[in-house]
Amino acid sequence: MRQYTWFWVRERNQIAASSILISHGETGLSTAFDLPTQLGLDSDHPRAAGEVGRVGVAISSVHDVRRLFERIDLGEVSTSMTINATAPILLSLYVAVGMEQGIPQNKLRGTTQNDVLKE
């Protein structure tokens, strides 16, 4: 079972929340993304005003993904990313962070959605 991790916490508590879940045996994390991320907008884009971080985590670059999974061994958890149209981009950023952690690509686990008709 996965805990929907990032939806209900503010940025400064994301790492703490995931660490608590992992310390209690959770091996699957489910990540929700904010609307600008779902639309492929950077957080500082004018159309993102008022929506950044409202319904999930804001991701504008690999730096954000690196911070999101700081102190989480991506080789030990399975990550579900609730994202559609920008799923290939977020997956690429996730793989990049996994590689930075020294995790072979074939050891990364998880899922993405890619249903562009859903949004």
Side-chain angles (χ1 to χ4, degrees):
M1 185 169 116
R2 293 182 193 276
Q3 174 66 45
Y4 209 41
T5 313
W6 312 119
F7 181 75
W8 50 272
V9 294
R10 295 280 185 219
E11 182 176 329
R12 68 178 180 270
N13 294 325
Q14 290 170 355
I15 297 167
S18 62
S19 296
I20 290 168
L21 292 170
I22 291 169
S23 72
H24 283 89
E26 186 66 57
T27 58
L29 302 174
S30 186
T31 306
F33 298 94
D34 69 357
L35 185 58
T37 301
Q38 293 176 41
L39 297 174
L41 299 173
D42 284 341
S43 294
D44 61 355
H45 190 283
R47 288 180 43 207
E51 293 296 330
V52 176
R54 285 188 69 185
V55 296
V57 67
I59 301 292
S60 295
S61 71
V62 71
H63 302 291
D64 298 325
V65 178
R66 190 179 296 125
R67 186 176 63 240
L68 182 64
F69 292 105
E70 186 176 52
R71 291 184 270 157
I72 296 174
D73 182 347
L74 296 183
E76 297 295 321
V77 297
S78 172
T79 304
S80 171
M81 292 183 266
T82 305
I83 191 86
N84 287 301
T86 57
I89 297 166
L90 272 290
L91 177 59
S92 297
L93 297 175
Y94 181 80
V95 169
V97 171
M99 291 173 67
E100 287 177 357
Q101 290 185 4
I103 311 298
Q105 290 182 35
N106 65 344
K107 297 295 182 187
L108 293 171
R109 297 175 293 134
T111 60
T112 61
Q113 294 175 335
N114 194 9
D115 182 358
V116 293
L117 299 177
K118 182 182 173 205
E119 299 301 327

